[in-house]
Every structure is written in C-alpha cells, then in structure tokens.
Amino acid sequence: MWVLLRGGCPLRFLLPLRGEWMGRRGLPRSLAPGPPRRRYRKEVLPALEVSVLPVTTTEIRQYLRTRGIPFQDGHSCLRVPSPFVESSQVKDPTGATSSFSLFIDKTTGHFLCMTSLAEGSWEDFQASVEGRGDGVKEGVLLSEPSETANSEEVRRIWNRAIPLWELPDAQEAQLARVMFSITRVTDDTLKRFSVQYLRPARSLVFPWFSSQGLGLRGLKLLGAEGQGDGVHYTETTIPRLGAYHNLFGLSLISRRDVEVVLTSRELDSLALSQATGLPTLALPRGTLSLPPALLPYLEQFRRVILWLGDDLRSWEAAKLFARKLNPKRCFLVRPGDHQPCPLEALNRGLNLSRILRTALPAWHKSIVSFRQLREEVLGELSNVEQAAGIRWSRFPDLNRLLKGHRKGELTVFTGPTGSGKTTFISEYALDLCTQGVNTLWGSFEISNVRLARVMLTQFAVGRLEEQLDKYDEWADRFEDLPLYFMTFHGQQSIRSVIDTMQHAVYVYDVCHVVIDNLQFMMGHEQLPTDRIAAQDYIVGAFRKFATDNNCHVTLVIHPRKEDDDKELQTASIFGSAKASQEADNVLILQDRKLVTGPGKRYLQVSKNRFDGDVGVFPLEFNKNSLTFSTPPKSKTRLKKIKDDSGLVVKKPSSGKKGAVPQNSEACSGCDPIPCQSSSSKPTE
C-alpha cells in the first residue's frame, strides 16, 4: 500500500508528548492540518510489531542492483529515482535536474519521495517495482482530504496570534520576554522565524511550515507560568505529536546548505540563528526522540552539530541521535558550565560560534585513550545525581539503594509464582515511563489488553470499573505516555525478539525494554537442547543488546522451586549463575506465604553494580489500585545489607516483646521484617 502526502512531512510514527513539557488535554483526536496519511485503526495503545524479517543495507543494495535501479549512497538513506514524478520536476541542491528524489532508510527500508511526498515500507517499494506496468499503483493513492475542524483550529489560532513587538501594552511585551528569557532575541529574529504571541493563552506560537513552502501545517504553543522563584513551561502541539512531525525552521533551509545545528527547543534555535547565522532546526520532541521519518530532510547536510541542552540526559540523547544520523558527520556540544543551552549562552553573553567550534566528533575508533574519556568522566563526577539515572517517584526506597534507572544496564527480576511479579514490574516501568523514559513491553505470559488494563488502573490509582465516566479522561492521558507493546504472546524465538527490540530503539528511541519472561524464549528454534545452555545464550544476547544500544533491559526470570518457608536468594534464580553474573542489578520480590498482613511482601536488592548498596524494604499491595507503592500506615526504615545471598532475619513467633535474634535489629513499624544489620552476618 502506498500513500501520497501532498505537503509537509510524512506522518508515520506514533510518538506521544510527555514529561516536563506537558501537552494540552482534551484536544480533538484527529488533527490534520498537514497532508493525508495512512489510516490506522485506533487501539488502546500503539502496538509494536515486526511482521517480517528486518532488511539490511546489503540486501537493499543487492535488490536495487538486481532490478537495475541506479542509487546513490547517502548518510542514513539511499537515493533512487522516484516512480511518482518525472525527472524534469526534480532539482538537486545546485538547481540541476535530478531524478534521485526517493529516499530509502538504510535501517528499516522505509521510503519517502521528497517531491510527491509518497511514503511506504520496503515491502511496498518491492511490490511496486515488481508489479510496475500491471496497475499496482492504480487506485491506491489516498486522495487529499477536505478541510476539517482541526485544520480550521490551526488557522484560527494562527490568525488570533500577533507579533510580540505589536502588543499594544509595552509592559506586557517586556514581561513576556522576561518570562521566556528572550530579552536578547531581536524582533528581526522572531520575524524571520514567524514567531507569534497568543495573548489569551500567554503563549509563544511557533509555526510548522512544509519544506516546500506549501503553507502552515501545524503549531506548537509554549506557555510560561511562574512557580516560586522559577518558571514552569508547558507545551501544546497541534496536531498532536502522535499524528504529525515537523522540524521548526525547515522552511528556512536552503538546498545549498551543507551544515546545520540541531537543538531540542525552538528558543535555542532562535538564539543560535541570531548569534551565528547558521541554519538551525528544532526537533519536535526535544531529547525524547528523533523520528526516522525526518531523516530524509537531514540527508543533504555534510556536517550536523547537535546542541541539545546542558545536562547529561541531553548528552545521552545527542549520542543516540548521532547513531541514526551517521556518526561520521555528527559533532556534539558537551554540556558544561561554560557550554549551557544556546539561549542561556546568548543571555550570558557567551560566544556561541566559539562553543560550536569545540564540538566533539561523535565517531571514533574502537580503541580510545583516557584523554578522549576524561571529559565524560568529569561530567559524571560533577553531575553525580544525573549520572545515577532517572529516580523513581513511587519507590523512594528503591532510589536509596539503586540510586536511579540507568541506560545500558541489565536488571534481573525474580520472585515466587503468584507473588505479583508482573504487577510490580508494570508499576516499576510505568513510574519511569511517566518521567519520559521511552518504554517497550514484551509480555509473553499475559495479553497486552490485560497488561494495559493493569497499567491504566495503576496510572489512575484506582479502579475505573466503578467510574467509567472518567475512562476517556484517563485513557487520553495514558495514551500520551511513550509506551509501546510487542505483539508477541507465548513462546518466541530470541532472534525475533531482539530484532523487534532493535527496531524499537531505532524508530521509537526506546531506552527501557521489559521482558516478561525469559522462560518463554527457551527451547525455541536451533538453541542448544540443554535448557541451562539455552538460558545462558539468551541472557548473553540481552546483555549484549543492552550494552550495544545503551538501552536498559529488565528481564523477568522465574526462580527454582523453593519451600514456602524459605526466602529466595540470588542463587534461587533458575539456571546457572550466568544470569546474576551478567546482570547489573538483581531484584527479588520476596513473598512470605505463611504470613498475613503488613510485611508479607518486600523487595530485596541483592546486587547493585553501580555502587554496591544492597538491602530490603517492605511493600504493601493495594488491591483497589493494583499498586505496591502505597506507603504503609506506620513508618518503615530501610537498612542496607552487604551479602547478596543472605536471608532477612525473621522475628521469632514467640510473641515476647523484644525477642529479636542476635545481630539483628527490629525496624519500627515493620515488625514482621526486622532489617538485617549492615555489620551482621546473614542467617543461613
């Protein structure tokens, strides 16, 4: 199936808005001021599915040569003649006639014609080539839709907005400049980028124009509200980012430009353009994602500089995006005190051109010296909290032990059958997802519908069965999360799962993958017949994936069968010791089946490669909200233990006051689970 897009960027991927820059709720579901796009049946959540084996660059080149199709090798795409336009209609950057206007993504095989804006998958391209002249293309191009209320809303908001310098009240204009920190951004810069101001919403309005100058395709509204001594910014996009993508400043790019600076905010692009005169583009989702649908629009540049922010998270995003854009042409501006975000650098009077000249190449050989690493080491030492990763908001005790959720790590999670492993790990992942961690769920035990229902209940912190009138409100908010699901169910091959994970990292910039659980991938295809050897192979594959893709993998593994009165240890994980050896973190959900009431369940961190802190803390399950994060009524205290295989000391059942075993310490409010003293030996 082909789809013809008659203006603007192709609409292909569902990447919702979330995080510190919150989107407006209650907007119409189908916003289409842009061109026509593929129609998808609406689902509760976007599902990730790779129905065919992924294509490689070698296979694409071989196919083109076999079919006699000439091609040009680009940075991230291959350029071939477009079957949708005549060669006389296409111009290259020099203005000469060229027929190479169709771009094929080297990683996914997805194509885009820059002239007709037709787009489709690699299978679509093959079907067209092999069926050329047989009417394959006839009748499958979508016609341009009529104007809708959504496009009218874009035009209505744009017509109500006025230039900032035309505000009748000079004091209001000055206050707006102060709130958005653009006192040094000139009116000429705002006029060049067509930035407007919407008085009723007290928001700056950034327009999205098509690359071919076919008119207004979308808007981004940036609001500012004072909060204490600081300012809180809110973003609203029309259409929603799940339905449309564009690059702010794209209409100002000349065909002859060979260098560009990418930023994560529109205000940073204004500052850079004013201070350096270089072409600048702002990514639609900031540091969260670089949709592959936008790569063809960046193909003409020989040098790409990424200046995404002033923290470690933006630095990690820059390195991730450089891999998509081809690291050999990318340069990264390292965050630091003297290299803040572009807007702040402009306000501080720093030389932005000089900062750009210090940008580091993203590509290097396989062997590096400490000289090349010393700045990264300094960055982690000077930003200890950021280096520790994203902190959980629902599990503060987990922050005290693990310090945070970090990319590139492997976490092994286990617990007794029926203890609530899936319920806990879904809330664990949901907590991170609400903070902007792009998450991919691979649930092989339960269906995606059931898993989504559990997560939606946890998200709403209450059962929606009893308040169905609020379902749409919570579902809309839940749909905005960067959350995706594999469509696998039951036993799957490790090759298919890894291929799907690779696809998710490239297309959706996923940085956390949850696999529930490992046992469903054992004994499949040509893996060794020995189950222990098969598990070792699978664990090694996930370890390699996490390291190579700088993506955190949480792997659920069932434990060996243990007696109900015995607590699990690291050695209780099914299989050999490879799982615990390869893992950076080992979490055990302990469930004391012979105990009722508070303290029945608790989480044990038995391995922490980041800084070595291990320990336990109690969990209390709330059946109404299906959450473990509801704090107990009485206070609990966390104690750290040093032995990852030790058992938590139990309080004797004699009922006598103060009858606590030697070398143990009873925590107030947590009588059933006395915390192990850090200096005592674990009881065997």
Side-chain angles (χ1 to χ4, degrees):
M1 175 68 70
W2 297 76
V3 55
L4 180 60
L5 306 181
R6 300 185 183 276
C9 294
L11 320 180
R12 187 68 173 96
F13 304 109
L14 297 176
L15 295 173
L17 176 68
R18 69 94 244 137
E20 179 183 337
W21 304 83
M22 301 297 291
R24 182 177 65 183
R25 308 298 179 192
L27 287 177
R29 178 68 57 191
S30 164
L31 295 169
R37 55 186 179 278
R38 290 182 185 271
R39 269 58 171 174
Y40 290 94
R41 179 176 61 84
K42 181 184 175 183
E43 298 176 329
V44 176
L45 286 171
L48 182 65
E49 179 176 11
V50 181
S51 57
V52 295
L53 291 176
V55 65
T56 64
T57 308
T58 302
E59 292 171 342
I60 295 176
R61 292 194 183 103
Q62 184 176 1
Y63 181 85
L64 295 176
R65 292 191 184 102
T66 302
R67 294 289 172 175
I69 302 175
F71 64 89
Q72 297 174 352
D73 207 334
H75 301 288
S76 56
C77 301
L78 297 175
R79 296 182 62 178
V80 300
S82 174
F84 297 101
V85 296
E86 298 179 3
S87 58
S88 59
Q89 295 179 311
V90 187
K91 304 290 183 179
D92 64 12
T94 63
T97 300
S98 173
S99 60
F100 293 81
S101 62
L102 189 139
F103 291 76
I104 302 176
D105 191 300
K106 292 182 179 180
T107 303
T108 64
H110 185 92
F111 73 87
L112 168 68
C113 174
M114 296 292 284
T115 303
S116 66
L117 295 178
E119 59 99 23
S121 67
W122 173 243
E123 290 74 28
D124 295 334
F125 182 83
Q126 288 178 305
S128 174
V129 171
E130 295 167 8
R132 194 182 303 276
D134 296 332
V136 174
K137 295 182 294 181
E138 188 175 337
V140 298
L141 298 181
L142 297 181
S143 59
E144 188 167 358
S146 59
E147 288 295 318
T148 64
N150 304 315
S151 58
E152 292 175 0
E153 182 178 7
V154 171
R155 180 58 57 184
R156 177 177 55 82
I157 293 176
W158 183 247
N159 290 336
R160 293 182 63 186
I162 62 175
L164 193 61
W165 58 90
E166 291 184 6
L167 286 175
D169 188 349
Q171 187 174 359
E172 180 184 3
Q174 182 61 24
L175 177 61
R177 287 182 174 275
V178 172
M179 290 292 287
F180 293 104
S181 302
I182 55 173
T183 54
R184 294 202 175 194
V185 177
T186 65
D187 293 341
D188 289 339
T189 301
L190 297 174
K191 185 183 301 182
R192 181 168 179 264
F193 283 87
S194 301
V195 179
Q196 306 274 58
Y197 183 75
L198 188 62
R199 296 186 69 187
R202 297 182 180 178
S203 302
L204 290 179
V205 182
F206 301 100
W208 282 339
F209 296 107
S210 68
S211 61
Q212 298 179 347
L214 298 180
L216 184 66
R217 297 303 178 189
L219 299 173
K220 178 181 284 191
L221 278 66
L222 178 64
E225 299 177 359
Q227 286 190 352
D229 297 333
V231 179
H232 175 69
Y233 296 95
T234 57
E235 273 189 2
T236 303
T237 59
I238 307 175
R240 292 172 59 167
L241 283 179
Y244 185 71
H245 298 298
N246 205 325
L247 293 163
F248 175 71
L250 186 62
S251 60
L252 300 178
I253 298 297
S254 167
R255 290 182 178 272
R256 292 179 172 82
D257 290 329
V258 295
E259 181 178 9
V260 69
V261 183
L262 298 183
T263 68
S264 61
R265 301 189 308 161
E266 289 74 14
L267 294 178
D268 288 334
S269 287
L270 298 178
L272 269 169
S273 177
Q274 176 178 307
T276 66
L278 292 174
T280 62
L281 295 171
L283 302 178
R285 299 199 67 223
T287 58
L288 294 181
S289 177
L290 172 59
L294 299 177
L295 295 183
Y297 295 92
L298 302 172
E299 193 68 14
Q300 74 180 71
F301 303 107
R302 300 174 187 170
R303 177 183 171 94
V304 178
I305 303 176
L306 293 99
W307 191 351
L308 301 184
D310 55 0
D311 56 11
L312 286 181
R313 195 169 184 178
S314 62
W315 174 248
E316 292 294 332
K319 292 190 290 185
L320 177 64
F321 296 167
R323 296 174 64 176
K324 285 187 182 183
L325 294 165
N326 190 339
K328 293 185 178 181
R329 63 166 174 163
C330 292
F331 295 81
L332 316 179
V333 175
R334 184 187 302 280
D337 292 338
H338 300 290
Q339 296 183 169
C341 63
L343 182 61
E344 183 180 347
L346 178 67
N347 292 332
R348 287 167 53 178
L350 301 179
N351 190 323
L352 275 70
S353 297
R354 182 177 300 172
I355 294 176
L356 290 177
R357 287 195 294 270
T358 65
L360 303 175
W363 179 83
H364 55 75
K365 295 181 180 180
S366 300
I367 300 177
V368 296
S369 65
F370 179 72
R371 180 179 181 181
Q372 295 166 283
L373 300 175
R374 62 180 296 164
E375 292 300 325
E376 291 195 39
V377 174
L378 176 61
E380 292 204 0
L381 292 176
S382 57
N383 299 276
V384 177
E385 290 189 4
Q386 294 182 26
I390 306 297
R391 297 173 66 86
W392 288 270
S393 60
R394 297 189 178 207
F395 302 101
D397 286 336
L398 197 56
N399 293 327
R400 302 183 204 173
L401 294 175
L402 293 181
K403 303 304 182 292
H405 182 269
R406 294 166 290 276
K407 294 182 180 180
E409 291 189 351
L410 174 65
T411 295
V412 169
F413 177 66
T414 190
T417 301
S419 61
K421 293 190 297 295
T422 300
T423 304
F424 172 81
I425 210 66
S426 66
E427 185 182 11
Y428 165 100
L430 178 64
D431 187 343
L432 298 168
C433 189
T434 56
Q435 300 182 65
V437 177
N438 296 1
T439 304
L440 172 65
W441 247 99
S443 176
F444 306 105
E445 269 191 330
I446 65 175
S447 67
N448 287 334
V449 174
R450 185 178 173 189
L451 176 62
R453 176 183 173 182
V454 171
M455 298 185 75
L456 181 59
T457 301
Q458 294 173 334
F459 184 66
V461 197
R463 292 192 177 275
L464 294 176
E465 299 97 315
E466 304 168 359
Q467 41 185 349
L468 291 177
D469 56 319
K470 296 184 179 179
Y471 174 78
D472 285 337
E473 175 187 349
W474 283 106
D476 285 345
R477 296 174 60 183
F478 192 59
E479 191 173 326
D480 279 344
L481 297 177
L483 179 63
Y484 308 92
F485 296 89
M486 298 185 196
T487 55
F488 299 134
H489 188 68
Q491 193 176 51
Q492 299 295 330
S493 69
I494 181 63
R495 181 184 298 275
S496 299
V497 175
I498 292 292
D499 286 343
T500 303
M501 292 163 58
Q502 293 277 11
H503 178 82
V505 169
Y506 180 80
V507 175
Y508 300 103
D509 293 299
V510 163
C511 50
H512 183 206
V513 178
V514 181
I515 299 296
D516 184 17
N517 59 64
L518 176 139
Q519 273 77 1
F520 278 87
M521 280 170 285
M522 295 173 59
H524 201 81
E525 286 189 348
Q526 300 179 353
L527 294 180
T529 54
D530 180 11
R531 290 179 63 84
I532 303 300
Q535 176 172 320
D536 289 350
Y537 173 82
I538 295 171
V539 170
F542 283 125
R543 169 75 269 178
K544 186 176 187 301
F545 173 86
T547 303
D548 292 347
N549 295 277
N550 197 29
C551 177
H552 194 114
V553 176
T554 299
L555 184 60
V556 180
I557 305 178
H558 285 308
R560 294 191 179 95
K561 296 297 182 182
E562 302 279 5
D563 296 335
D564 290 344
D565 59 341
K566 291 185 178 180
E567 296 172 344
L568 300 180
Q569 308 176 41
T570 302
S572 301
I573 299 174
F574 182 84
S576 68
K578 184 177 179 66
S580 58
Q581 292 171 351
E582 293 280 10
D584 297 283
N585 313 295
V586 176
L587 307 181
I588 304 176
L589 180 60
Q590 301 283 9
D591 184 11
R592 307 199 302 167
K593 297 180 183 290
L594 303 181
V595 176
T596 59
K600 172 179 169 61
R601 294 186 182 92
Y602 60 95
L603 189 71
Q604 177 179 350
V605 179
S606 61
K607 182 178 181 180
N608 176 8
R609 186 170 283 165
F610 181 71
D611 68 354
D613 284 347
V614 294
V616 299
F617 61 89
L619 298 172
E620 182 176 332
F621 180 66
N622 187 316
K623 191 173 182 180
N624 185 56
S625 61
L626 303 180
T627 59
F628 285 94
S629 57
T630 305
K633 295 181 181 178
S634 56
K635 295 181 179 178
T636 60
R637 183 173 56 176
L638 176 92
K639 293 291 286 185
K640 298 175 181 177
I641 58 177
K642 296 300 181 183
D643 197 319
D644 64 352
S645 62
L647 296 176
V648 177
V649 179
K650 298 181 181 178
K651 191 173 182 178
S653 57
S654 62
K656 293 182 180 180
K657 218 172 186 180
V660 179
Q662 192 176 4
N663 294 333
S664 68
E665 180 179 335
C667 294
S668 62
C670 188
D671 292 338
I673 310 176
C675 292
Q676 180 71 33
S677 171
S678 59
S679 61
S680 63
K681 249 187 171 181
T683 302
E684 296 295 339

